[in-house]
Amino acid sequence: MDDRNSPPDDGPARDHGGHDSHERPSGDDAETGDVERVEQSMLEEEAENSEETAGNTAHGGGHGAMDHGGHDEQDHEGHGDHGGMHAGHEQMFRRRFFASTLLSIPVLLYSEALQEWLGFSVPAFPGSEWINPVFAVVVFAYGGVPFLRMAVPELRDRSPGMMTLISMAISVAFVYSLASVVFPTESAFFWELVTLIDIMLLGHWIEMRSVRRASSALDELAKLMPDTAERITEGGETEEVPVNELAEGDLVLVRPGASVPGDGVVEEGDSDVNESMITGESKPVSKEPGDEVIGGTINGDGSLRVRIGATGDETTLAGIMRLVEEAQGSKSKTQVLADRAAGWLFYVAVGAAIVTAIAWTVATTFDAAVIERVVTVLVIACPHALGLAIPLVVAINTSLAARNGMLIRDRIAMEQARDLDAIIFDKTGTLTEGEHGVVGVATIDGVDEDEALALAAAVEGDSEHMIARAIREAADERGVEARRATDFEAMKGRGVRATIDGREVFVGGPNLLDHLDSEVPPDLASFADEAGENAQTVVYLVREGELVAAFAMADVIRETSYRVVDALHELDIEVAMLTGDSEDVANAVADELGIDTVFAEVLPEDKDTKVQQLQDEGKLVAMVGDGVNDAPALTRADVGIAIGSGTDVAVQSADVILVQNNPMDVVRLVKLSKASYRKMQENILWAAGYNVFAIPLAAGVLAPIGVLLSPAVGALLMSLSTVIVAINAQLLRRADLSVPTLPDASTSEQAQPAD
């Protein structure tokens, strides 16, 4: 296999943060991996417990009960791929949230503070005084301990974050509350403890749901290769063998419509092969003896005998798979804003607690009141709001995006979209329709365009060639009356002929004119020259030996592509186009749309490097594509955006899917990212603002003038902060995602509100 199919070795791969992926992982990356490993171990423990329970049930109730127990959960949650892992984490935190919330109800009902505030009472009974401590212990053990375990990597790396802050608050509240049972104090933190755990579980559940994504791009690539091949024996017979048994030098038969089982060279046969899923070329490529074919491509109507030159890991498709895998591995987690805020709050809380303890001991004496004051500072240092500040915005962001034709698969990439410097569009199927169409017609005097289209459409009536389909569609769009053709004949390499109203009519390219020895009138020659300058294909119509019309054919530019480019320029984003087509075709499309940068005649592996080339210039880059050949570039880009009608592998490799197949949604993506980030910042300010206000009061800064924040009031302020953050997140639904500078946008293209 050509070395071009291997991952580029001209430098280390660039990750999302712009750093070399071969460098030693940063503390944030290592910490993220450690936290995920802790979550994974918790999943496996739950699966083992579930399996053990199921086994006990099966022992008494038969094998059926065992088969439907914890084993399935373990398979699907504990041992899945990266997407399955996140799905398992989501389900785990969801279970813990609902169970802990249910167990918290008795604690809330028997909380004296809540009864006093809300003016209700519940009946007491012998042992009811143990409801709060017993249920709080259960909630802590089931819902709180996971946070303690996830805080271990943060502490080990000396990088405290949200898990450390949560763990500190619930641990202090738990120990102090249990101590209050043995050594009675003025207040305990049982209801604050359980509600804090419940809300943090809710936040983590929402977060896991927002980051869950499937990672099946490599599987989708593998599906392109057939499972079996028809190998031709020395005796000339065919035998069906698994593809993995093919060896270099084997001769295989590729029937019409079948997939080519490996890279090789055509030895016999003529056919058109669809290579768009590998090369990105929209036009099937004619193959004849001596031409190379690529494994995974689709044969057309002819039959081919191919001598295998590369199989397995040596094929072009395998090279693309390696690029996708490498690019996926180069992605790094960025540190979430809330984690940074939580890290600072941890140090602030610990420092405030130490100062509080020293100050109150010096001012009074060390007693239970001082301990209560310190505990109050540490508990309210972890606001409920901070745990929900980001997940709530992400959840609404995801809903709003879906309503506007965008499926968010990676929230980190979504956040990065606000700072994009350049967006690369794949040409075929993204900026263009991906199918050839008639873009111009010229006729001789005495023949109008509709008549010419009617004749050409009649001749092409029995052909399935893409040019024939384009001519028929152009005739239909104009409402041209259908003509009846007889004696249809395909002239290989020249065109087609048929008889219409007793007259012989031909349709074909320049080779047809040479064959018929037809002269080209000056007007049609000028039309053909202009079409050639615009990288358009010219097809001629000949009637009774006379050249009467010419049709210019091109891959049709999407109507919305013009508005997309203009809108992105107004957002100060550079627009680039990347294609496997020739420079003439690429430059013609780029000039028409006003695109800034053009990458033409790009091979699949080079698409990946073109993205990296812009990244190496210090630019944050998005890639928009729809084909298998775009998968490495989609994965390498800081933000990968797939057109929803594209191949499965492109969709699986992307961070954002444009489900409505509308490039205009790229503009909305950038605007939504900016609006969401603003809401995240505002929410963190609200949540942190609570601490700026509450911690000094809890420490007793205003105690000399009689103002001292009690634990109960601190809890109330915590709840108020949470409500404010929730309301502010909801305001994201009002974000303006329309494009006011584009008055021609249709109603279907206007922004839609979230659910």
Side-chain angles (χ1 to χ4, degrees), residues 180-203:
S180 70
V181 175
V182 181
F183 308 102
T185 59
E186 292 184 6
S187 62
F189 292 94
F190 287 121
W191 78 268
E192 294 93 338
L193 170 66
V194 295
T195 54
L196 181 59
I197 290 174
D198 293 341
I199 289 183
M200 291 306 167
L201 285 172
L202 173 63

Side-chain angles (χ1 to χ4, degrees), residues 521-708:
D523 289 347
L524 297 188
S526 176
F527 173 82
D529 290 341
E530 184 178 350
E533 291 175 0
N534 292 327
Q536 297 167 353
T537 301
V538 180
V539 177
Y540 298 96
L541 175 68
V542 180
R543 181 174 60 185
E544 290 292 303
E546 180 185 15
L547 180 56
V548 297
F551 307 95
M553 317 289 292
D555 193 357
V556 181
I557 297 175
R558 292 177 186 267
E559 182 181 349
T560 57
S561 295
Y562 298 92
R563 299 197 287 269
V564 169
V565 174
D566 289 341
L568 290 175
H569 282 159
E570 290 192 3
L571 291 171
D572 293 325
I573 297 177
E574 175 186 342
V575 181
M577 185 180 73
L578 187 152
T579 179
D581 287 341
S582 66
E583 287 192 10
D584 289 339
V585 172
N587 289 329
V589 173
D591 291 341
E592 180 75 12
L593 292 175
I595 288 173
D596 305 303
T597 305
V598 178
F599 300 109
E601 300 179 7
V602 182
L603 296 174
E605 58 268 28
D606 293 332
K607 288 192 174 186
D608 173 60
T609 59
K610 295 303 180 185
V611 173
Q612 187 172 346
Q613 177 179 324
L614 290 182
Q615 289 175 325
D616 289 341
E617 295 175 7
K619 297 175 181 177
L620 197 69
V621 181
M623 170 70 191
V624 185
D626 73 334
V628 171
N629 61 301
D630 300 323
L634 286 170
T635 314
R636 174 74 66 187
D638 299 286
V639 182
I641 306 170
I643 293 291
S645 64
T647 60
D648 288 342
V649 67
V651 170
Q652 297 296 342
S653 301
D655 303 308
V656 181
I657 316 300
L658 305 185
V659 295
Q660 294 177 357
N661 198 18
N662 185 359
M664 185 61 71
D665 290 331
V666 175
V667 180
R668 294 198 182 92
L669 171 68
V670 176
K671 298 187 75 174
L672 179 58
S673 177
K674 291 178 181 292
S676 299
Y677 186 71
R678 282 196 300 270
K679 284 300 173 191
M680 291 180 185
Q681 288 181 313
E682 292 168 2
N683 272 2
I684 289 177
L685 286 175
W686 275 111
Y690 155 83
N691 288 85
V692 171
F693 174 75
I695 290 180
L697 290 181
V701 172
L702 300 181
I705 61 173
V707 178
L708 191 62

Side-chain angles (χ1 to χ4, degrees), residues 235-270:
E237 309 224 349
T238 60
E239 58 178 355
E240 188 172 292
V241 297
V243 169
N244 57 13
E245 290 186 8
L246 289 178
E248 184 177 350
D250 283 348
L251 186 66
V252 298
L253 172 64
V254 184
R255 298 184 184 274
S259 297
V260 179
D263 292 357
V265 178
V266 176
E267 285 205 351
E268 183 180 341
D270 295 287

Side-chain angles (χ1 to χ4, degrees), residues 335-599:
Q335 193 174 27
V336 181
L337 289 173
D339 254 347
R340 290 203 294 268
W344 283 107
L345 284 176
F346 172 79
Y347 291 115
V348 169
V350 172
I354 294 173
V355 171
T356 300
I358 295 173
W360 279 88
T361 300
V362 171
T364 58
T365 183
F366 184 78
D367 55 14
V370 175
I371 296 176
E372 180 179 330
R373 188 56 38 206
V374 172
V375 169
T376 302
V377 170
L378 293 175
V379 170
I380 68 173
C382 180
H384 298 62
L386 193 58
L388 293 177
I390 301 302
L392 278 177
V393 174
V394 170
I396 296 172
N397 168 294
T398 304
S399 173
L400 189 59
R403 290 281 292 171
N404 285 276
M406 296 170 279
L407 175 62
I408 307 302
R409 301 183 65 244
D410 188 321
R411 68 187 177 92
I412 301 301
M414 175 65 182
E415 293 171 10
Q416 288 182 313
R418 75 186 188 277
D419 293 325
L420 287 174
D421 300 305
I423 297 180
I424 303 175
F425 287 88
D426 174 63
K427 181 186 79 69
T428 305
T430 304
L431 293 175
T432 66
E433 298 288 353
E435 296 181 0
H436 277 66
V438 177
V439 295
V441 181
T443 62
I444 63 172
D445 292 338
V447 179
D448 63 27
E449 294 184 2
D450 286 353
E451 180 183 0
L453 276 172
L455 290 173
V459 175
E460 298 282 16
D462 291 338
S463 174
E464 285 304 315
H465 194 279
M466 66 164 49
I467 289 179
R469 290 197 300 270
I471 291 176
R472 291 198 300 268
E473 289 174 1
D476 290 341
E477 289 174 0
R478 294 196 181 200
V480 174
E481 183 179 352
R483 308 286 288 274
R484 185 173 180 274
T486 59
D487 302 329
F488 174 84
E489 177 188 354
M491 306 169 63
K492 187 167 182 64
R494 296 184 175 89
V496 293
R497 66 163 294 280
T499 300
I500 301 175
D501 297 333
R503 305 169 103 180
E504 193 173 40
V505 182
F506 298 84
V507 176
N511 289 339
L512 175 67
L513 301 186
D514 294 338
H515 175 70
L516 298 177
D517 197 21
S518 298
E519 292 186 5
V520 183
D523 289 347
L524 297 188
S526 176
F527 173 82
D529 290 341
E530 184 178 350
E533 291 175 0
N534 292 327
Q536 297 167 353
T537 301
V538 180
V539 177
Y540 298 96
L541 175 68
V542 180
R543 181 174 60 185
E544 290 292 303
E546 180 185 15
L547 180 56
V548 297
F551 307 95
M553 317 289 292
D555 193 357
V556 181
I557 297 175
R558 292 177 186 267
E559 182 181 349
T560 57
S561 295
Y562 298 92
R563 299 197 287 269
V564 169
V565 174
D566 289 341
L568 290 175
H569 282 159
E570 290 192 3
L571 291 171
D572 293 325
I573 297 177
E574 175 186 342
V575 181
M577 185 180 73
L578 187 152
T579 179
D581 287 341
S582 66
E583 287 192 10
D584 289 339
V585 172
N587 289 329
V589 173
D591 291 341
E592 180 75 12
L593 292 175
I595 288 173
D596 305 303
T597 305
V598 178
F599 300 109

Side-chain angles (χ1 to χ4, degrees), residues 227-307:
D227 295 327
T228 60
E230 292 188 68
R231 185 167 58 191
I232 300 176
T233 64
E234 293 183 0
E237 309 224 349
T238 60
E239 58 178 355
E240 188 172 292
V241 297
V243 169
N244 57 13
E245 290 186 8
L246 289 178
E248 184 177 350
D250 283 348
L251 186 66
V252 298
L253 172 64
V254 184
R255 298 184 184 274
S259 297
V260 179
D263 292 357
V265 178
V266 176
E267 285 205 351
E268 183 180 341
D270 295 287
S271 184
D272 290 333
V273 176
N274 183 357
E275 297 182 342
S276 61
M277 68 286 294
I278 301 296
T279 66
E281 285 286 354
S282 55
K283 193 174 181 179
V285 181
S286 177
K287 299 293 182 182
E288 56 188 28
D291 290 338
E292 295 183 354
V293 291
I294 303 172
T297 55
I298 309 298
N299 188 23
D301 296 331
S303 180
L304 297 175
R305 282 171 169 75
V306 176
R307 183 71 65 180

